[in-house]
Amino acid sequence: MNGSIGTEMQGTPFSSPAALRVAFDDGLDKLLRHDSLGGFVLVLANASHEPSAFDRLRAPLAQAFARWSARSDRQDARVIDAARDDTEVFARLRRLGFDNLGVTRCRRLGPWDLQFNRLRALRPPRLSNTRVRHLHKAFDPAGFHFNKPFLRREVFWEGAFVGTPLRVFYNKFPFAELHGLLVPDPEANRPQYLDANTHALIWELAEHLGRTLPGVGFGYNARGGYASVNHLHVQMFMRSTGRYPVEAAEWVHNGGSERYPLAVQRHADCAGAWQAVAGLHASETSYNLLYRPGCLYILPRAMQGSYSHSRWTGGFAWSELAGAVTVFDPADFERLDRADIDAELAKLSVTP
């Protein structure tokens, strides 16, 4: 799907919510028909995140699961030669069983959103299990990054915005609606360390897309904030079910009277927002970001590895700090209450 965002949205997947949904679903269908192991894993995870998509694709996904299981049993080259990430995830899928996958379940805990997402628990941890002490680390061409050849089929869209090349991938293990990974100038091989130009690009892109895509936004994980890939990227979504909990009017940072469990900065000015991020860089304070059209929520937080998170979570990243929490065990999904989320967020509180 090639094109240009430019000043005119017509003719791109981003021209309307309906156009984005059609393009997104069409891309999943094509990936499934291509019959690659990585494509199967991606389509299964995306379909299981949305019940309507899973209902539509259940039969072809079950057939593909059986087909790949048979290939795995006979050590077919299409399994042996697949990317290691994909073979490891598929092995976990087989142990779980197709009929035990289910779809993502959601419920409300006071101000917080909770979701049970079994498929996301199978994803490779990459850097998310690493103790981090510094925000910047040089890009490693030998590590996982978004220019790997096997990822080409997972590209949803390529184009440019204000002269910057953009590449949008499907999120292989989504936890948000129409969830993608946006990589600005991917061939530049920049590490996951936000700079002023990229910040301004994402700010302007959010404002531009907000004119045609209600609910659009971008999440960013700094190193130490559970970024799993050290290749500059943000996560793109279109949330049609309302705003994230951090955006609620009740909180002090939005003009209300209730205090969020950790410090939140809300900025409505691009330059002022960057000065705040630059200050976190100077103090080596990790953070997560939520970009919305004309607005940025900055959430300074404790570095991953500097505290012990609860057993029911793999670690809080931008979505969790924004109040939308994912768990991987059905028992945890049923038993957790608001106090558990409050306490986990409070562990991350820092004074930058």
Side-chain angles (χ1 to χ4, degrees):
M1 265 176 252
N2 292 318
S4 174
I5 296 178
T7 58
E8 177 55 61
M9 299 300 296
Q10 297 300 318
T12 78
F14 310 105
S15 59
S16 71
L20 180 56
R21 169 57 68 185
V22 168
F24 197 89
D25 288 347
D26 284 351
L28 293 178
D29 291 345
K30 290 175 183 175
L31 270 170
L32 190 57
R33 289 196 301 269
H34 187 270
D35 199 29
S36 69
L37 184 59
F40 165 72
V41 170
L42 185 152
V43 176
L44 179 61
N46 275 266
S48 70
H49 185 62
E50 297 188 35
S52 61
F54 193 75
D55 288 343
R56 180 174 65 87
L57 294 171
R58 181 191 298 269
L61 283 168
Q63 294 165 6
F65 183 84
R67 186 165 59 249
W68 283 106
S69 295
R71 289 169 178 168
S72 180
D73 288 341
R74 65 175 182 265
Q75 291 292 285
D76 188 291
R78 284 169 289 189
V79 176
I80 295 173
D81 296 338
R84 181 178 176 181
D85 282 358
D86 296 328
T87 57
E88 291 180 351
V89 169
F90 185 68
R92 298 185 193 111
L93 278 170
R94 291 196 72 186
R95 289 193 292 270
L96 182 61
F98 183 85
D99 292 335
N100 294 321
L101 296 178
V103 296
T104 296
R105 297 160 56 195
C106 301
R107 69 185 183 101
R108 192 80 170 177
L109 291 178
W112 315 124
D113 294 336
L114 186 69
Q115 71 169 253
F116 166 54
N117 187 326
R118 194 187 297 273
L119 262 291
R120 187 161 172 79
L122 305 181
R123 82 192 195 284
R126 300 196 180 104
L127 302 179
S128 58
N129 283 344
T130 304
R131 182 181 177 92
V132 176
R133 292 181 173 84
H134 301 287
L135 291 176
H136 184 274
K137 182 178 181 180
F139 177 85
D140 179 8
F144 183 91
H145 56 78
F146 296 112
N147 291 326
K148 294 286 187 180
F150 72 88
L151 292 176
R152 285 301 307 172
R153 293 192 185 95
E154 299 177 14
V155 174
F156 169 66
W157 179 86
E158 285 187 281
F161 181 69
V162 293
T164 300
L166 302 179
R167 189 177 297 160
V168 180
F169 294 83
Y170 283 98
N171 192 314
K172 202 160 193 171
F173 299 95
F175 52 87
E177 185 177 356
L178 295 168
H179 198 173
L181 298 172
L182 186 148
V183 184
D185 198 7
E187 303 296 337
N189 290 341
R190 289 180 290 168
Q192 186 73 345
Y193 189 77
L194 197 63
D195 59 87
N197 289 337
T198 302
H199 161 73
L201 173 77
I202 302 304
W203 183 286
E204 186 174 353
L205 184 61
E207 287 194 318
H208 192 86
L209 291 179
R211 299 168 194 158
T212 56
L213 296 176
V216 74
F218 299 91
Y220 176 82
N221 297 323
R223 286 195 78 245
Y226 284 90
S228 61
V229 179
N230 191 30
H231 189 177
L232 188 59
H233 67 286
V234 296
Q235 299 187 29
M236 181 178 182
F237 61 87
M238 194 182 78
R239 188 176 170 95
S240 65
T241 55
R243 296 193 169 273
Y244 276 92
V246 74
E247 301 175 85
E250 66 201 65
W251 304 117
V252 169
H253 57 261
N254 291 322
S257 59
E258 296 293 322
R259 291 199 173 276
Y260 209 69
L262 69 167
V264 181
Q265 302 176 32
R266 183 184 185 277
H267 293 267
D269 170 70
C270 180
W274 173 249
Q275 289 304 311
V277 172
L280 296 176
H281 287 183
S283 65
E284 283 283 357
T285 302
S286 191
Y287 59 92
N288 302 100
L289 304 177
L290 175 63
Y291 285 89
R292 290 294 214 168
C295 176
L296 177 65
Y297 291 90
I298 302 176
L299 298 108
R301 46 88 51 76
M303 285 268 193
Q304 72 187 65
S306 69
Y307 67 98
S308 296
H309 61 67
S310 297
R311 291 183 178 180
W312 51 262
T313 176
F316 276 25
W318 71 265
S319 177
E320 285 80 12
L321 265 69
V325 177
T326 298
V327 296
F328 312 126
D329 186 288
D332 291 332
F333 178 75
E334 296 295 342
R335 71 170 181 80
L336 290 175
D337 59 23
R338 174 179 178 169
D340 294 308
I341 309 301
D342 289 347
E344 197 67 19
L345 285 168
K347 289 180 183 180
L348 308 180
S349 181
V350 294
T351 302

